Amino acid sequence: MSGSPYAPHTATETAEMLEAVGVADEEALFDIPEDVAFDGEFGIEPRTEREIRAECARLFARNDDLVEFLGRGHYSHYVPSVVDHLADRAEFITSYTQYQPEITQGFLQALFEYQSLLVELTGLPVANCSMYDAATALAEAATLADRVRSTSGDVVLIPEHLREGKRGVLENYCAGADLTVESYPMDDGNADVDALADRVGEDVVMVYAENPTVRGCIEERLAEIGEVAAEADALFTLGSDVVALSVLEEPASVGADVVVGEAGALGLPAAYGMGLGVFACKDDYLRQVPGRLVGASEDAEGTRAYTLTLQTREQHIRKERATSNICTNQAWVALRAAIHAATLGPDGLVELAHDCVRDAEALAADLDALSGVAAPVHDRHHLREFAVRTDQPAAAIAGDLEAEGFAVHVIGEHLIEVCVTDLNADRTDALVEAFEEVL
Amino acid sequence: MSGSPYAPHTATETAEMLEAVGVADEEALFDIPEDVAFDGEFGIEPRTEREIRAECARLFARNDDLVEFLGRGHYSHYVPSVVDHLADRAEFITSYTQYQPEITQGFLQALFEYQSLLVELTGLPVANCSMYDAATALAEAATLADRVRSTSGDVVLIPEHLREGKRGVLENYCAGADLTVESYPMDDGNADVDALADRVGEDVVMVYAENPTVRGCIEERLAEIGEVAAEADALFTLGSDVVALSVLEEPASVGADVVVGEAGALGLPAAYGMGLGVFACKDDYLRQVPGRLVGASEDAEGTRAYTLTLQTREQHIRKERATSNICTNQAWVALRAAIHAATLGPDGLVELAHDCVRDAEALAADLDALSGVAAPVHDRHHLREFAVRTDQPAAAIAGDLEAEGFAVHVIGEHLIEVCVTDLNADRTDALVEAFEEVL
Amino acid sequence: MIHDQARYTREDDALHEPLLSEKGEQTVDVRDSSPLPDDLTREELTLPNPSEPEVARHYTRLSQMNWAIDTGPYPLGSCTMKYNPKFTEDVAADPNAAVHPDRSDRSVQGTLELCYGLQEFLADIGGMDAVTLQPPAGAAGELTGILIAKAYHEHHGNDRSEVVIPASAHGTNFATAAMAGYDVVELPSDENGRVDVEALDAAVGEDTAALMLTNPNTVGLFERDIAEIADIVHDAGGLLYYDGANLNALLGRARPGDMGFDVMHYNVHKTFATPHGGGGPGAGPVGVVEELAEFLPTPHVREINDGNVGYEAVEPERSIGKVHGFTGNWLVLIKAYAYIARLGDAGLADAAAKAVLNANYLAERIDMDVPHGPFHHEFAATAGDRDAADVAKRMLDFGVHPPTTKWPAMVPEAMLTEPTEIENRSSLEDLATAFNVAYADSDEVLADAPSRTTARRIDQASAARTPRLSWQALDDE
Amino acid sequence: MIHDQARYTREDDALHEPLLSEKGEQTVDVRDSSPLPDDLTREELTLPNPSEPEVARHYTRLSQMNWAIDTGPYPLGSCTMKYNPKFTEDVAADPNAAVHPDRSDRSVQGTLELCYGLQEFLADIGGMDAVTLQPPAGAAGELTGILIAKAYHEHHGNDRSEVVIPASAHGTNFATAAMAGYDVVELPSDENGRVDVEALDAAVGEDTAALMLTNPNTVGLFERDIAEIADIVHDAGGLLYYDGANLNALLGRARPGDMGFDVMHYNVHKTFATPHGGGGPGAGPVGVVEELAEFLPTPHVREINDGNVGYEAVEPERSIGKVHGFTGNWLVLIKAYAYIARLGDAGLADAAAKAVLNANYLAERIDMDVPHGPFHHEFAATAGDRDAADVAKRMLDFGVHPPTTKWPAMVPEAMLTEPTEIENRSSLEDLATAFNVAYADSDEVLADAPSRTTARRIDQASAARTPRLSWQALDDE
Ligand SMILES: Cc1ncc(COP(=O)(O)O)c(C=O)c1O
Ligand SMILES: Cc1ncc(COP(=O)(O)O)c(C=O)c1O
């Protein structure tokens, strides 16, 4: 029988330690009543690390090698090698939350810089150092709205075009706060601001919009949405991602109270949905923010130092009156995003975002030129992705495209969505050809 | 025109710096006469790191995916992941030679530990902290022999069974020292000690033997070779590798004056021949050792500290009277070997070496059972590798095996050599089947 | 041992490694190069523009100013800071694992198979019937579990309003219950921090949706009355929720499912050695008994039952829906799979044994009192009349990280210590020395501590009083 | 900037991080489990047996006690310590590149193609006609080059016995010539460290096999008379060897081949940014003009000329044979290829420009004298009446590495400084400050320096007097 390969005890050491503790064997240290003791087997055979690497490589090789034109909230851009090399440094990745700031200045500063990046991107003065993902960040925004809104009300208004999963998470968080989720209609891919204005009222605690939308449409009347929300004393929460925010209207400038979204578009490769939730807001809500905040302070020598701060908001102090139950978050992913952003610099970020606009436009035009296909469906500007109308059933086309080596979204009976970034921009011609093939 | 992506200068910074230096442009800083100035182009298009990664991955994918049963001086064993993660730490890999020991204690200690590992494995008190590879280490041993041998003489005796390339390097180094390389015969895979004894005399400066030999045979009369050499006042240099040394006779115990060989069997994956040269010797030759030595000392506070030492042997001080011209060596590979050895521990090392004996024996027996094949050719104990006699031409068989996905050595018209380690031990049955197939 | 942490100090500016923004910023005119109409874009973007060598240096230096499990012991009680095997990083870095969550099931069979395999591992280890991998952390697992309990009660027409939680429980339990819309009933503990069965009996009733419990409890003691506790809750129609934070103590020796728990979460970043990453990402898979399986979040991976070999992601019949936008913290889950496969049955059991041995040995070696026992993988020492937080600061100078301090509240000046199985005797001795020296030091020394860390004692109060949360805020000063 | 390096200190034992052997050893009875007869094996093996977590900590701590280009400036003159782009590591780690050197050419076409591509890159950059990648370092490249020269002379029936080398040359040049069996003729330099053409004329004759030269020379000055020098040597029937250590200064602006050099080596771990690895591995490819190509080592990669597309490794007609057991430091060569491809023509030329600008800017900012100029990528400052080695030790406290000291000898108390192109202005200022503060400090301060590194001033003399080269030697005391 082999022990844990990571428990360092030699037999002698174990014996001596048992003696020091004053017991005969390890079993004697367990105070488990017999009726609940486990004496079965899991049947998990230990393997060597080489075997497991081979096994998992074999497994993953079973995933088809498709060129993904997929987005809808989970975006991949090329992650420079330096991001991996730095974030993988053991002092970062094998570290815990910074409960002792004196000895964890490095990570604290990195998180402080991440927060600052979001402050610049959103124009809002407060950003926490991560939520799990865009969906949970949105959900937390709703409960924050509920806590801070001066008048009562229980409706959270969301756009009709929203990723299913995001709505699902929002509903689960809202249920506990007795909030109801309701959607407002779209107008050719943008929020139908007039319909929204008609709907908004006393009962609405929060209005949510996305820029770009889940269909990649850039919102053209964001400031108006902000005004509509403000008039009803509802919070205006804007969803976006860090690449889009580099070039699109600054959320603060359109009246956003809260910004949520994805920061994993930087730093993370396609990760089967793993994300990095953005949460930024106005100063007014500082003490209602969920999650961790890093602040600057001084040490006993008067040198600048960083520390987790405003922890009285959090579950470990405030318990059931905490702003959220979040504890472990996505700190290391935030570090990755910060390194990626630093590597790109503002010019690199802007160029990346602009390419996402140009490449989407070009691909849409190429697809539109095919018969049996119209793209983009919405007469809007797009970033990264856009909807495509197909004469034939979308599911069949997507299936055929998959056989040709391409993955796209099916979002309606005759609707496909396609997302282009720097990672697949050199394969758009091939995609167009494949479309031609399967139509 | 884009500049170097790793030169950080913004245009403003460049301008300000040029002004501070007092020149109009960068060109003005170059003092190159026109007749030798270059104004052509290399025609090298800059590429992004993503493009280069893709290009190289495509290139390497053009290498056939063969199961290698190859050795003959370049051995691969499974390198635990922790070796990569630790050796890749920037403080190690992006560091220079330890000219300022106060600020490079970490690498110095690692090299000191590497030296200590070799001292344990060889039983010799002095080991340097690396030569380029086994071949250059052997060559340096010959020139050391030439320097330290009390009487004159110019013959270096090497075994008949020796890797061609190793002999080639030895000859190139020997030529400069006016030494001649001559081989002594083998007796069924081992050194023919009697023939060797007959040959040895005044004119011989060094006797070289390998354990195991390049055909994987374990030498059975090493101590006698040592005696033969000693009687003639010739240096006895023994070649081996760090895995073999873990279990085979301790070189010091058989009278070895110098040990050379490969340490890259630990820490390095198959690296197209890249190596890590071992150089260990008796105390007597300390001041004639080529390469770098790390020693323990104390710092001004009385704390133990490590430093490069005995540098007066080296080229940067002794110039043409240096013990060698070696400067840049294989320090980082030595670090990798040390980490690998530490991860295995002595039990792991011994087990690995024993498996190399057992697996070779088992594979030889399986091959021997095939008709048209005899293995091992030599009636000796083997470690890792052994020669196989084939009725059909060896080259044809090897070619056919390659088509089946296996690589083996052709070492004679009807001789093949096969090497088995932990990395291919699980494919020996497949190899035997392939042999059956192609015979 | 004494540890001087690295410092890179700019004395003139009274700071260590400058912020990237202090090393140089660039303002880009966004509209200049934009393919979009001006009214859809921001005017400019101002951010640091370091070169790649500068980026490398910045983060290399920052990393050296950070403690980690790879620099030394990290015995944070209830956090289970184990060594994170390096090879699990390599496994997770496989480019074939880097897929988008909206891929068709058919095209990601490898990914689904690994998910399924991990679900099975976890179900076996916890004694549960079905497992979801979706929750991205322990607290998210709690919320998932409680939402499942809620859905279960609602499905059975029960409108229950309370979740019972022992006073010594982790803050997330309370916050979770509240987030799910429940009233929290706080249960006083007995003198050992264990559930007071009588008090429980009194607290539980027809309003009780669930009891949330961790076992061993937060001072490391096994809830010996767990069978009785389960009966009480079950008899009242409630469910038992197991907080898996302390599961490392029980691996292979007891299973929540066998103790009567109906739903539980696993902290893979504790028990299964996935790196904590300075605060995350973790993963908090949730296991349930058969009756609750139909409420699991969507999508859920199962074997295809139509004769074909393969896996599919489906929506359970009465699914609570989503708790994460996609499928959870996939890269973390891969590492957990690799870790469990590496240890196997024997390794898991040995991990628990050595974790418990280490805790007991360390407790033996320190001069502080440990009021409660017999404990398992962690113990709450008391600093008595010393300030536990000060003692902890002093410990920082000795090449170790201090334990969790001042929690749980039932132990005065608690130092909740969990060395885990990865420490060898010599590092336990280092820990003991740090404890003992700090505990014996004078108040003045403690107040001045730490003196060898990158930062000296930090003024936390002023950080909270005048929050400065970005480099923009510092610039504004 | 002030830099306190990390320390992990055992005060009782007066050491920092203990040796692995001091953390615990194990003795294994080899014969116990051996499949071999006893007389073929050693009895036992005694080595440290740390756990993997301990290994990780040990080397993580050691790494923190080590300076590197990723921690700060490293302006070692003649060493060209550049940033090593991380992506080149990834390229080299491709498992498909991990092949055995005895594979058939047909089965490693990808490897051969990359080798060929790098040969072409280097030939273009150096103005050479053919390149071998085999030499594993610069010094090995020198030996290869000189052996080629020797073979050339021998082939032409010339028995030449001398190699001429300027006094200011690197030690490897002298040692190499001696190893190749040549007598060294040391050439005095003119007042600027340049070749004294008259002295050269006098030194060169029918015994001259080659002149070894680096250009810019070791104080950074271009040998303006290079055309004349080449004529002198060639007229005497000798060959010109170019030591490529300083090639970074000339990239895209001048090529050794165009200057009349016949054979040269490239230090890819200098010019082409492959990591120096704490002392190696590097690689020292050698380029030659057409006439010398037939003497290159074996194997040599070339395109297949029989109409098939592909590459083959062949033995040049009059090959000098082998200078490395196999094919050289392959993993290093891959990184060099990736670096050159990343920069391209423009990037290479810019690297040289910025390297030269940085050197000139830094020289401008320091208070020491720089006697020789106009220099290119490096300059030799003089510490005058201060001890250059002491000044260097003091610089260690300021978050920078000092330059090469006391070399070349022609500059009194030389501090040979090469910041390379990767430093930005702010780190050049840090360097200048370190220079200036140290230079101005009192003798007492210098003698005490460094005070913030892991080790304080080390007693080098006693290390050499009583060599203790292994933990066994320490144990024996
Ligand atoms: C007892 C206990 N429960 C729950 C949690 C929350 O887990 P997570 O941090 O993964 O959200 C923790 C984390 O520290 C814990 O210790
Ligand atoms: C001028 C010069 N020549 C030759 C060499 C030797 O090169 P290597 O260290 O790669 O053997 C060096 C290395 O420092 C050098 O500076």
Side-chain angles (χ1 to χ4, degrees), chain A residues 96 327-328, chain C residues 78 137-139 142 170 172 243 245 267 269-270:
Chain A
Y96 199 74
C327 178
T328 293
Chain C
S78 166
E142 293 176 27
H170 195 257
T172 49
D243 176 335
N267 289 80
H269 43 300
K270 299 178 195 277

Side-chain angles (χ1 to χ4, degrees), chain B residues 52 138 270 280 283 347:
Chain B
I52 297 164
L138 168 59
D283 251 338
D347 46 352

Side-chain angles (χ1 to χ4, degrees), chain B residues 9 16 31 38 44 55 62 64 68 89 95 100 102 133 163 172 272 297 300 304 307 329 402, chain D residues 22 63 99 102-103 106 113 224 253 278-279 322 325 327 337 342 345 358 393 425 457 459-460:
Chain B
H9 309 66
E16 287 167 4
D31 183 33
F38 175 69
I44 307 172
E55 173 194 328
R62 238 177 268 165
D64 295 343
E68 298 180 342
R89 284 184 59 81
S95 176
Q100 298 288 351
E102 291 83 0
D133 70 346
R163 191 182 167 89
N172 263 331
Y272 201 48
S297 182
R304 187 198 296 158
T307 178
N329 45 72
E402 190 172 300
Chain D
E22 291 166 330
S63 75
V99 292
D102 287 349
R103 289 270 294 252
R106 221 186 28 143
E113 185 171 340
R224 294 190 56 87
R253 284 189 165 72
K322 300 287 299 170
T327 45
Y337 177 90
R342 178 79 187 90
D345 282 32
N358 276 0
K393 293 293 177 211
R425 190 150 60 131
R457 188 78 71 102
D459 184 354
Q460 309 246 21

Side-chain angles (χ1 to χ4, degrees), chain C residues 354-369:
Chain C
K354 295 305 190 300
V356 174
L357 175 60
N358 277 359
N360 278 272
Y361 181 81
L362 177 57
E364 199 62 47
R365 306 287 299 160
I366 66 172
D367 299 336
M368 288 180 205
D369 238 32

